[in-house]
Structures are given as C-alpha cells and as structure tokens.
Amino acid sequence: MKALGSFTAAALLALVIAGCSSTAPSGRKEEMRDAIDVPSHFLVLTPRGTAVEPVPGSCKNPLIDPRDQTRIILVRSTEGRGYYRVPQGRYGVGSRELLLIECGTGRAMGIVKR
C-alpha cells in the first residue's frame, strides 16, 4: 500500500512539472534560448517607411530594429507571437532558427528552431 502511495505521488509530481513547461501551440515542446543584443523592442515599419510602436493585435511585417534599421521578416504567427527571419548572424539566430517576438509589444522572447 505504501509503494502505491509513493507511485501516485511521483506520478502527480511529474504531471505538475510537465504542466509548467513551455509548449508550442501544437502541443509539442518548443525549445527556446536567449537572443543576443536585441533592442528593448522592435518597431513596425509602415508602408510609408515610417517606424511606429507595435500595438496589440495581429503580428506585423516587417519589424525594424530602431537602433540600426535592421529589418526582420514574419514567417508565421500564432497566439500573439511572431516567428521572424533575421539577417544571417543577427541576434545570435542560426540558419535554421527564427526570432520569436511578442507581437503586441515588439519584445524579443528568444530564439527557436524553424
């Protein structure tokens, strides 16, 4: 009986830990690592060529780094997050990776696999 209680407690603990981990919208785990030298937030580049603050809603394309005008391009979006392609070597993003951005704020969340 005591072994059954220990097993139940261990199983419950595993479920709690798994429930706290980050998952992608498809339900699979999405590994993320920190981006390097990103701005405090990216700006939205309008069709007229002006840079404006992001606002809650859909993810915009392209975004721009206000420090040096680097453009990043939206590949896909889901649940208020945008997955952006960046110029090679920028922000620590590798060739098979994307920069994950919180669309409503323009804040970089991290680097994820394509």
Side-chain angles (χ1 to χ4, degrees), residues 3-113:
L4 182 59
S6 295
F7 175 78
T8 303
L12 185 58
L13 180 60
L15 286 172
V16 168
I17 290 171
C20 292
S21 66
S22 176
T23 59
S26 65
R28 67 177 169 76
K29 286 193 178 189
E30 183 168 50
E31 294 180 28
M32 190 179 342
R33 61 186 181 82
D34 291 339
I36 300 168
D37 191 31
V38 292
S40 60
H41 67 285
F42 287 86
L43 299 176
V44 176
L45 188 61
T46 69
R48 292 184 155 192
T50 57
V52 298
E53 293 291 327
V55 294
S58 63
C59 297
K60 305 299 182 195
N61 190 40
L63 296 183
I64 193 167
D65 183 332
R67 303 171 302 173
D68 63 8
Q69 310 310 303
T70 298
R71 290 183 187 201
I72 63 175
I73 306 300
L74 183 65
V75 173
R76 67 179 184 274
S77 64
T78 184
E79 299 178 0
R81 295 176 176 178
Y83 296 78
Y84 287 82
R85 185 177 70 240
V86 305
Q88 187 170 350
R90 291 303 306 239
Y91 314 118
V93 177
S95 63
R96 301 188 54 85
E97 297 176 315
L98 298 169
L99 185 61
L100 182 60
I101 302 289
E102 184 178 56
C103 294
T105 64
R107 186 181 63 83
M109 299 174 70
I111 299 170
V112 297
K113 299 274 186 208

